[in-house]
Amino acid sequence: VDKDALDAQVKERKIQEAAEKARNEELGNEMKQNDKITRMLEERQKHEIRNINKAISDFQKNFQKPETRREFDLSDPQALKKDRPARLADNDPRCTVSGLQKFMGEDLNYNQRMKFQKEQLREWSLQQQRDWKNALADQKYADYLHDKNRIELDQKTMEQQQKEEENRHAVCAATKDFNRAQASEVAERKKLEKYQKMKDDMNEIASLLQGDLLSENPEQAVSSFGRHRVITDRWKGMTPDQLMAIRYSQQQQVLEKLRLKEEERQRDAEWHRQIMQTARAQEILERQQRRQYRECRQAVDKVNAELSREQKSKNIYLKEEAYSNFPTGQYFAQFNTTSR
């Protein structure tokens, strides 16, 4: 077991776990900060909605009272007690358009009314400007919070990337040192193996040079089972007589093979001749069948032409002689002329 490699792997695993734990903690802190900002924005939105609803209620309470409605005089319980003459002044609320008691521009307080309307328009314009400024300020504050949050997120992301880069460099350095140590160890081991192999080869060469194998002693190949058997790993070759017998046997085998090839060639030639004869007979038979079919076709065409001429002659006879006398109206008038 390579203990150093296992220790290095354990150390690398601990470094990765520590980096993973730090990254998880950073992500948790970032999620908490985002949740806090989200709650603040939600509270602010609820506060703004509550203020808007309160402003609407105050406006309805102050400027939309039941007494100011157009149809209040129809449901006023004190209508009879408040009844007055037809017109007391120009600002009499009873002087409606349908009463034709006051027309546009004929009221007595025209200047005051115009002044009041201008003042009211000015107040409305100022109120709109204040609302617009407040909305712009709120939007600017929201943009400021968004930009601040985005900058913080970017900074945290950059810090996290930098930490991951440092961790990666540390892991790469540790891996490089471990690989360098392993490479040196492997090189040393290969060097020792090479030296041991060279030593063994030298011993084997010396043993072979001093043995009977390279000295080509013919007696070393004789087997203990008889002179006709040899030991294969010590045998140096056959004698000239044995080689001559083998060459003679090879020549006989070559002659036998040539004879078999000649017989096979003659057999193939015979087969080819028979195939050619069969093909020639088949071609002659096909020519004869085509000639017979052509003669039959010519006979059928001749019979059909004769039948066509007979049909035309019959049609001419029927048209010019058999059906040439068409009946007239006088022919049909001679029937049904008696009391029967």
Side-chain angles (χ1 to χ4, degrees):
V1 178
D2 193 353
K3 186 175 181 302
D4 296 335
L6 294 176
D7 294 338
Q9 292 179 0
V10 171
K11 183 177 180 181
E12 182 181 355
R13 181 63 179 176
K14 289 182 178 180
I15 292 173
Q16 292 179 358
E17 290 178 354
E20 186 69 22
K21 184 177 180 181
R23 184 163 57 252
N24 292 332
E25 290 179 356
E26 291 178 359
L27 291 175
N29 296 329
E30 183 178 354
M31 291 175 66
K32 291 180 180 179
Q33 184 68 20
N34 293 334
D35 292 338
K36 185 177 180 181
I37 293 172
T38 304
R39 288 197 302 270
M40 292 174 62
L41 293 175
E42 288 179 354
E43 291 294 334
R44 181 179 178 186
Q45 185 178 5
K46 290 180 181 178
H47 183 68
E48 290 178 354
I49 292 173
R50 192 182 302 111
N51 291 335
I52 291 172
N53 293 332
K54 184 178 179 182
I56 292 173
S57 300
D58 295 339
F59 180 81
Q60 291 177 353
K61 182 178 180 181
N62 296 327
F63 299 100
Q64 293 182 353
K65 296 180 180 181
E67 293 83 2
T68 59
R69 296 177 184 174
R70 186 183 302 174
E71 66 276 5
F72 180 73
D73 56 345
L74 300 177
S75 59
D76 188 5
Q78 304 294 331
L80 296 177
K81 295 181 179 181
K82 296 178 181 179
D83 193 13
R84 291 178 293 177
R87 181 178 181 183
L88 298 177
D90 291 336
N91 57 356
D92 195 344
R94 296 176 300 169
C95 296
T96 60
V97 176
S98 61
L100 299 177
Q101 297 180 9
K102 184 181 69 173
F103 296 96
M104 186 66 66
E106 295 182 356
D107 55 330
L108 300 176
N109 54 351
Y110 174 78
N111 295 328
Q112 294 180 0
R113 180 170 53 80
M114 293 300 296
K115 182 178 180 181
F116 177 75
Q117 289 180 355
K118 290 180 180 179
E119 185 68 23
Q120 188 175 15
L121 290 175
R122 188 176 66 82
E123 290 294 333
W124 287 352
S125 178
L126 293 175
Q127 183 64 29
Q128 289 180 354
Q129 292 178 3
R130 286 194 295 269
D131 295 340
W132 177 253
K133 289 180 180 179
N134 293 332
L136 289 176
D138 294 340
Q139 183 66 29
K140 187 180 293 183
Y141 181 71
D143 295 339
Y144 169 74
L145 290 178
H146 181 267
D147 294 338
K148 183 178 180 182
N149 186 19
R150 183 171 54 80
I151 292 171
E152 291 178 357
L153 292 176
D154 293 340
Q155 291 179 354
K156 290 180 179 179
T157 304
M158 292 176 62
E159 292 175 358
Q160 184 176 358
Q161 291 179 355
Q162 186 176 2
K163 289 181 180 179
E164 290 180 355
E165 189 69 23
E166 293 176 356
N167 294 331
R168 186 162 55 252
H169 285 314
V171 172
C172 291
T175 305
K176 187 182 295 183
D177 295 337
F178 175 72
N179 293 334
R180 190 181 295 110
Q182 279 191 340
S184 61
E185 183 179 355
V186 170
E188 186 66 24
R189 186 166 58 251
K190 287 184 177 180
K191 184 177 180 182
L192 293 175
E193 291 177 354
K194 183 178 180 181
Y195 175 74
Q196 185 66 31
K197 186 176 182 300
M198 185 174 62
K199 186 177 180 181
D200 295 339
D201 293 341
M202 293 298 294
N203 293 332
E204 184 178 359
I205 292 171
S207 176
L208 292 174
L209 290 174
Q210 296 174 3
D212 294 335
L213 180 63
L214 296 179
S215 62
E216 297 184 356
N217 186 6
E219 297 297 331
Q220 67 176 348
V222 178
S223 176
S224 60
F225 296 99
R227 301 291 297 181
H228 63 285
R229 302 182 67 175
V230 295
I231 301 174
T232 57
D233 58 348
R234 301 178 185 178
W235 186 53
K236 297 301 180 180
M238 294 184 294
T239 60
D241 296 336
Q242 292 174 345
L243 293 175
M244 184 64 68
I246 290 174
R247 291 193 183 96
Y248 178 76
S249 177
Q250 289 177 350
Q251 290 177 0
Q252 294 296 325
Q253 290 177 359
V254 169
L255 293 175
E256 181 67 19
K257 189 173 183 180
L258 291 175
R259 186 181 64 80
L260 294 175
K261 284 186 177 180
E262 181 64 22
E263 292 180 356
E264 185 178 359
R265 187 183 64 77
Q266 293 178 1
R267 186 168 56 253
D268 292 341
E270 182 65 21
W271 276 106
H272 181 68
R273 186 179 61 79
Q274 293 180 3
I275 291 172
M276 293 297 294
Q277 290 180 357
T278 304
R280 191 177 295 109
Q282 183 70 23
E283 185 177 0
I284 293 171
L285 180 61
E286 290 179 355
R287 289 179 180 176
Q288 185 177 359
Q289 289 179 353
R290 287 197 295 271
R291 184 169 57 253
Q292 291 177 358
Y293 176 76
R294 186 166 54 254
E295 292 175 356
C296 292
R297 185 66 182 175
Q298 290 176 358
V300 171
D301 292 341
K302 186 176 180 180
V303 172
N304 291 334
E306 187 66 27
L307 292 175
S308 178
R309 286 194 296 270
E310 292 179 357
Q311 184 69 22
K312 289 181 179 179
S313 300
K314 184 177 180 180
N315 291 334
I316 292 171
Y317 171 75
L318 293 175
K319 183 177 181 180
E320 294 179 356
E321 296 182 8
Y323 302 121
S324 61
N325 188 13
F326 292 99
T328 61
Q330 185 179 2
Y331 172 75
F332 293 104
Q334 66 182 346
F335 300 101
N336 297 328
T337 58
T338 63
S339 61
R340 295 181 61 187

